[in-house]
């Protein structure tokens, strides 16, 4: 059985005081939840939130990182800096990084390989735009993003990788892929992992869904065989929405 993984991506929201209060509330309300849990605050709040979550069942995540450990990279954050703050998981290849900031599959692959080399877990995001879906290119897009993103990643390293399928058209729009649509792509993702690494590794792979996950749709999504968790955006900014998602019961 794969352990469900619920992750909250706080994006560019909250100052340190707000992030601290939210982390404290989540630490209390999510104590004892059997699922794997993570929150990824903005860089400025990592140390503050990490101090609150220390010793809890909620992992500290980061929303991005540089493809280098140090150097003349103005404005960037290295994996070593993240680890120094207690970060254990990093989100890479998020559609907002791909489409708003021009991150390529090659750049994302550099980050994935470095993060794994430095002992961080990776959530690798893949997903299609509305135009790509309407052109029946979903599987092609996802396959390319996965094969390029995982290039050079060994089977041993794969245990520290989670794939998050997030249709771009469902992120922050209030639109959600139906459980059938989401499960179909998750089935494709698992088949791609099997093609790259074998059936056993594919069976172990945790695949999250991301895209307007809410308390009222989480159970329908998580009830599907190939959906193992959620990468949650807007609904992770309040306990009244994130806690019910994190506490879902199949």
């Amino acid at each position: 059985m794969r352990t469900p993984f619920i992750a909250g991506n706080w994006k560019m929201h909250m100052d340190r005081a707000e992030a601290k209060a939210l982390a404290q509330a989540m630490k209390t309300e999510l104590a004892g939840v059997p699922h794997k849990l993570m929150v990824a605050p903005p860089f400025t709040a990592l140390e503050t939130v990490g101090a609150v979550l220390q010793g809890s069942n909620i992992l500290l995540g980061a929303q991005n990182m540089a493809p280098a450990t140090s150097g003349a990279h103005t404005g960037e954050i290295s994996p070593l800096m993240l680890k120094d703050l207690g970060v254990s998981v990093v989100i890479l290849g998020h559609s907002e990084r791909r489409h708003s900031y021009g991150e390529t599959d090659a750049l994302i692959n550099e980050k994935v390989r470095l993060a794994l080399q430095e002992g961080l877990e990776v959530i690798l995001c893949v997903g299609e735009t509305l135009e790509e879906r309407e052109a029946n290119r979903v599987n092609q897009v996802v396959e390319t993003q996965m094969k390029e993103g995982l290039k050079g990643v060994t089977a041993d390293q794969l245990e520290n990788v989670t794939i998050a399928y997030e249709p771009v058209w469902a992120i922050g729009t209030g639109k959600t892929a139906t459980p059938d649509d989401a499960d179909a792509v998750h089935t494709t993702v698992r088949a791609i992992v099997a093609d790259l690494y074998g059936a056993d590794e594919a069976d172990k792979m945790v695949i999250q869904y991301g895209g307007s996950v809410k308390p009222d749709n989480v159970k329908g999504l998580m009830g599907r065989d190939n959906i193992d968790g959620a990468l949650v955006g807007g609904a992770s900014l309040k306990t009244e929405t994130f806690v019910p998602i994190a506490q879902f019961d199949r």
Side-chain angles (χ1 to χ4, degrees), residues 79-94:
L80 302 185
M81 295 172 179
L82 295 180
K83 289 171 64 179
D84 185 51
L85 292 171
V87 169
S88 59
V89 186
V90 61
I91 301 168
L92 298 174
H94 193 282

Side-chain angles (χ1 to χ4, degrees), residues 126 128 133 138-140 142-143 146 165 167 169 177-192 207-209 220-221 223-227:
V126 299
E128 81 285 358
R133 171 165 281 271
V138 178
N139 291 354
Q140 177 188 342
V142 169
E143 182 174 9
M146 285 185 61
Y165 167 59
W169 48 270
T178 67
D180 285 343
D181 287 341
D183 192 54
V185 182
H186 280 235
T187 301
T188 297
V189 168
R190 204 172 299 284
I192 294 167
I207 308 172
Q208 298 172 317
Y209 172 76
L221 289 163
R224 298 308 173 105
D225 289 343
N226 286 300
I227 302 179

Side-chain angles (χ1 to χ4, degrees), residues 157-168:
Q157 291 176 317
L158 200 67
E159 67 179 2
N160 290 316
V161 176
T162 297
I163 303 295
Y165 167 59
E166 41 163 35
V168 179

Side-chain angles (χ1 to χ4, degrees), residues 217-237:
N217 64 25
V218 65
K219 190 167 184 177
L221 289 163
M222 299 307 124
R224 298 308 173 105
D225 289 343
N226 286 300
I227 302 179
D228 308 311
L231 180 57
V232 186
S236 71
L237 299 174

Side-chain angles (χ1 to χ4, degrees), residues 12-207:
M12 198 173 71
H13 295 285
M14 293 181 289
D15 59 25
R16 287 179 297 162
E18 293 167 331
K20 180 178 181 180
L22 181 57
Q24 287 174 327
M26 288 185 176
K27 179 180 178 179
T28 299
E29 296 191 40
L30 294 176
V33 170
H35 309 319
K36 183 176 180 179
L37 304 174
M38 184 213 80
V39 294
F43 287 131
T44 53
L46 280 173
E47 185 170 17
T48 299
V49 171
V52 172
L53 297 181
Q54 192 168 9
S56 77
N57 61 329
I58 305 174
L59 300 173
L60 181 65
Q63 300 175 22
N64 189 28
M65 61 165 244
T69 54
S70 64
H73 304 287
T74 301
E76 294 292 336
I77 306 292
S78 86
L80 302 185
M81 295 172 179
L82 295 180
K83 289 171 64 179
D84 185 51
L85 292 171
V87 169
S88 59
V89 186
V90 61
I91 301 168
L92 298 174
H94 193 282
S95 64
E96 290 160 2
R97 300 299 314 173
R98 291 178 186 269
H99 297 286
S100 298
Y101 297 96
E103 292 198 3
T104 64
D105 287 324
L107 175 62
I108 292 162
N109 177 246
E110 281 189 73
K111 295 182 180 188
V112 168
R113 287 187 287 110
L114 182 60
L116 293 171
Q117 176 186 309
E118 296 300 332
L120 291 168
E121 291 185 39
V122 168
I123 296 176
L124 173 61
C125 302
V126 299
E128 81 285 358
T129 64
L130 181 60
E131 292 75 17
E132 289 165 338
R133 171 165 281 271
E134 290 176 341
N136 295 316
R137 295 183 58 231
V138 178
N139 291 354
Q140 177 188 342
V141 169
V142 169
E143 182 174 9
T144 298
Q145 291 174 344
M146 285 185 61
K147 287 186 173 180
E148 293 300 316
L150 292 173
K151 190 174 289 184
V153 174
T154 68
D156 287 341
Q157 291 176 317
L158 200 67
E159 67 179 2
N160 290 316
V161 176
T162 297
I163 303 295
Y165 167 59
E166 41 163 35
V168 179
W169 48 270
I171 297 171
T173 63
K175 298 179 181 178
T176 308
T178 67
D180 285 343
D181 287 341
D183 192 54
V185 182
H186 280 235
T187 301
T188 297
V189 168
R190 204 172 299 284
I192 294 167
V193 176
D195 183 51
L196 294 173
Y197 296 96
D200 288 345
E201 294 300 327
D203 190 55
K204 292 187 288 186
M205 173 63 69
V206 172
I207 308 172

